Amino acid sequence: MDNNRQIEQDSQPPPSLPASARLPINRCNLPAVILGSLTFQAHPVPLEIDGIRDFHDDLFATLDATPEQTDRAQGFMDYMTVHFLLEELEEAGLTPGRKRKSRVNANYLRMVRGWSFDSDGREGAVLKRWVESRFGLLARHHAGSLVDRHSDAYHQYLLQGTRGLYATNALEAQLDLLYTYCQCELAREHSDSTHITLYRGINRMDEHEVLETRVCGRHRVLLNNLNSFTSNRERADEFGDYILVAEIPLPKVFFYNRLLPGMLKGEDEYVVIGGAYEVCISTI
């Protein structure tokens, strides 16, 4: 019996999310080993950042009672402006006479616009650090591989993320609310779905960490903890010789360009939380 059990265990595939890609704790309702797994991709459940809905229940009650998407978007943005004093930064603690432009503009909108411009820039580092904190998924790439925690690329990533958060007005809490609002809107827009098909243009498969190669062009890959996809296959053609096609669980969508007015420049862009995924690779 023991020998049979050992043979069965040896025949099982390795964990879908390597221990080196996750933290032991996070700030949401599922641990990283689960939410970053292939099982979660196949059978997703809602993800909730600790305390956000309870603390801002008045906001979400108001949004639930607002039928028009444009009105909800404006209501959300107005709430963010008032709650985080985004237009009254001296009341939020900014020293008068020392209004550095980078600090004044360091809000949730600046972060997502910066991501659209350069996901390996300072704003991208802040967003990837936020994913690490809230979901426990470690960044794998930022202007270079981050697998070696002693590398210059990793130290620069930490430096950029720290500088991006320094002296900001509860920036991570702003991102918490942005993600939660995004999930509310996706639940309305895709009330009968659990996934959305998204595309990513790539030039080489070795741009991603392959966990397992399967039949019919399918691969199990470890994505970076935050990634850009598009809902437009033709748009993905512009970014590589191959197209990575993935069924993305709706709870893994951080934000998308139609969520708020003027939010992102890229057409049909979705920013997706990473982990292990089964994907299909096809030629253009």
Side-chain angles (χ1 to χ4, degrees):
M1 182 67 70
D2 290 342
N3 288 338
N4 290 337
R5 184 180 298 113
Q6 183 63 49
I7 292 172
E8 182 179 351
Q9 291 174 349
D10 291 342
S11 66
Q12 296 298 312
S16 61
L17 185 67
S20 61
R22 64 181 191 261
L23 293 172
I25 59 173
N26 60 18
R27 299 184 187 179
C28 74
N29 57 320
L30 288 180
V33 68
I34 295 177
L35 69 87
S37 69
L38 292 170
T39 300
F40 186 89
Q41 184 191 13
H43 308 285
V45 297
L47 296 176
E48 295 188 8
I49 299 173
D50 294 343
I52 296 303
R53 284 184 176 271
D54 291 337
F55 190 74
H56 301 278
D57 59 344
D58 54 340
L59 167 64
F60 293 107
T62 300
L63 295 177
D64 287 342
T66 305
E68 296 297 327
Q69 191 276 333
T70 53
D71 294 337
R72 292 194 301 273
Q74 189 60 55
F76 174 78
M77 296 174 72
D78 290 344
Y79 181 91
M80 296 290 280
T81 298
V82 173
H83 184 80
F84 293 103
L85 302 173
L86 298 183
E87 295 179 354
E88 300 174 345
L89 294 178
E90 289 186 8
E91 292 188 26
L94 188 69
T95 303
R98 299 179 61 185
K99 292 186 177 181
R100 295 178 55 189
K101 185 177 180 180
S102 61
R103 298 301 89 202
V104 171
N105 293 332
N107 57 44
Y108 69 106
L109 290 173
R110 172 67 177 270
M111 293 301 108
V112 299
R113 289 168 182 160
W115 169 275
S116 182
F117 179 73
D118 179 12
S119 61
D120 285 333
R122 177 181 292 185
E123 291 84 0
V126 170
L127 294 180
K128 292 170 187 174
R129 292 289 302 276
W130 174 82
V131 173
E132 291 184 342
S133 169
R134 271 45 180 178
F135 300 99
L137 300 175
L138 293 171
R140 309 296 290 175
H141 188 280
H142 185 81
S145 173
L146 303 181
V147 174
D148 181 2
R149 293 303 193 249
H150 301 287
S151 66
D152 289 341
Y154 185 71
H155 292 155
Q156 286 300 313
Y157 163 67
L158 293 181
L159 182 62
Q160 280 191 325
T162 302
R163 286 179 172 174
L165 283 173
Y166 175 71
T168 58
N169 187 16
L171 182 53
E172 289 183 309
Q174 294 180 42
L175 299 176
D176 293 343
L177 266 174
L178 176 62
Y179 169 78
T180 306
Y181 171 68
C182 175
Q183 289 299 303
C184 291
E185 288 300 303
L186 287 173
R188 283 177 174 265
E189 185 176 344
H190 303 275
S191 58
D192 297 327
S193 304
T194 58
H195 295 75
I196 183 172
T197 303
L198 297 178
Y199 309 91
R200 178 179 172 90
I202 61 174
N203 288 313
R204 304 181 312 276
M205 192 57 220
D206 61 8
E207 293 178 7
H208 297 82
E209 298 177 63
V210 179
L211 300 175
E212 184 180 354
T213 299
R214 301 174 67 79
V215 297
C216 300
R218 302 196 68 83
H219 297 76
R220 290 176 172 178
V221 300
L222 178 60
L223 295 181
N224 203 4
N225 72 344
L226 203 60
N227 313 266
S228 286
F229 280 79
T230 177
S231 59
N232 188 325
R233 185 185 178 96
E234 288 70 29
R235 177 69 172 166
D237 290 351
E238 303 173 11
F239 293 93
D241 298 326
Y242 301 90
I243 296 178
L244 186 153
V245 186
E247 294 297 317
I248 303 296
L250 293 177
K252 286 287 195 78
V253 178
F254 178 18
F255 56 84
Y256 55 102
N257 72 319
R258 293 180 290 102
L259 184 62
L260 296 172
M263 188 171 186
L264 293 176
K265 295 180 180 179
E267 294 183 0
D268 304 304
E269 182 176 1
Y270 286 72
V271 179
V272 172
I273 297 166
Y277 284 85
E278 184 160 312
V279 302
C280 179
I281 307 296
S282 65
T283 57
I284 295 174

